[in-house]
């Protein structure tokens, strides 16, 4: 659905290219929710010679059609937000019961030849799973993992009690 301020993807790609931007990251919200918009962006950015470095996703959506377009961006890294190593902690941290779907989709992305990285935001409630997360990433055969500290801004403000002390 279009919002009042939405710019057509083709116009956005052209403006990005005109500014001399040659590589970008796609994040914010969940890029895979709007399948056709993501495909259009992948096609358009390729057409304008803009490299997509990273797409950040929650990993809940897998689609063969999108994967075929992802493969056209050889330098792309798909970063999947995990924040846990078990279904119980995933439910607590991400408020989602879909940990097994996340695992299966991660396997599918890796098996399809997409470069996959896993991310883990460290906060109260998941520090006990850091070592298990590293082992899980090894089992899933991903390219890399990243750890970041939780910063209670934006939506994180509402769960600021999960921030670790320095």
């Amino acid at each position: 659905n279009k919002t009042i301020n939405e710019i057509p993807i083709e116009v956005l790609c052209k403006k990005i290219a005109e500014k001399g931007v040659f590589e970008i990251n796609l994040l914010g919200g969940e890029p895979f929710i709007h399948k056709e918009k993501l495909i259009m962006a992948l096609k358009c950015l390729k057409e304008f010679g803009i490299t997509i470095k990273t797409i950040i996703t929650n990993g809940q959506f897998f689609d063969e059609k999108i994967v075929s377009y992802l493969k056209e961006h050889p330098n792309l890294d798909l970063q999947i937000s995990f924040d846990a190593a078990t279904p119980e902690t995933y439910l607590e941290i991400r408020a989602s019961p879909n940990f097994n779907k996340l695992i299966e989709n991660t396997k599918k992305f890796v098996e399809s030849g997409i470069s996959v990285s896993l991310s883990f935001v460290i906060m109260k409630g998941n520090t006990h799973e850091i070592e298990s997360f590293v082992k899980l990433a090894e089992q899933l055969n991903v390219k890399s993992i990243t750890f970041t500290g939780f910063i209670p801004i934006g939506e994180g403000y509402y769960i600021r009690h999960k921030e670790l002390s320095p």
Side-chain angles (χ1 to χ4, degrees), residues 52-163:
I52 304 172
K53 286 183 61 176
T54 306
I55 296 178
I56 299 176
T57 176
N58 64 21
Q60 293 299 316
F61 303 94
F62 179 88
D63 184 283
E64 289 288 343
K65 186 175 179 184
I66 292 175
V67 167
S68 69
Y69 287 100
L70 293 174
K71 287 182 172 184
E72 293 182 8
H73 296 269
N75 298 318
L76 170 72
D77 183 55
L78 188 67
Q79 184 176 324
I80 302 175
S81 303
F82 260 70
D83 304 333
T86 63
E88 298 77 22
T89 301
Y90 188 77
L91 178 61
E92 179 184 334
I93 299 295
R94 308 276 305 169
S96 170
N98 297 326
F99 185 77
N100 292 332
K101 184 176 185 181
L102 176 66
I103 295 292
E104 290 308 310
N105 286 347
T106 300
K107 288 178 183 177
K108 289 177 187 177
F109 281 119
V110 169
E111 290 167 2
S112 69
I114 303 296
S115 173
V116 176
S117 299
L118 305 184
S119 69
F120 190 102
V121 176
I122 302 170
M123 63 181 79
K124 290 179 184 172
N126 69 359
T127 57
H128 64 285
E129 290 194 355
I130 293 173
E131 189 175 333
S132 300
F133 175 72
V134 172
K135 290 177 183 173
L136 175 62
E138 289 174 338
Q139 292 169 0
L140 292 172
N141 200 30
V142 298
K143 178 185 131 190
S144 64
I145 57 175
T146 60
F147 292 96
T148 57
F150 171 66
I151 301 170
I153 59 173
E155 291 294 316
Y157 174 81
Y158 301 106
I159 57 168
R160 61 189 177 277
H161 62 279
K162 292 186 178 189
E163 181 180 22

Side-chain angles (χ1 to χ4, degrees), residues 19-35:
K19 295 290 182 186
V21 174
F22 56 91
E23 63 183 31
I24 65 167
N25 298 314
L26 296 178
L27 58 134
E30 174 50 50
F32 285 77
I33 285 179
H34 301 288
K35 175 182 165 178

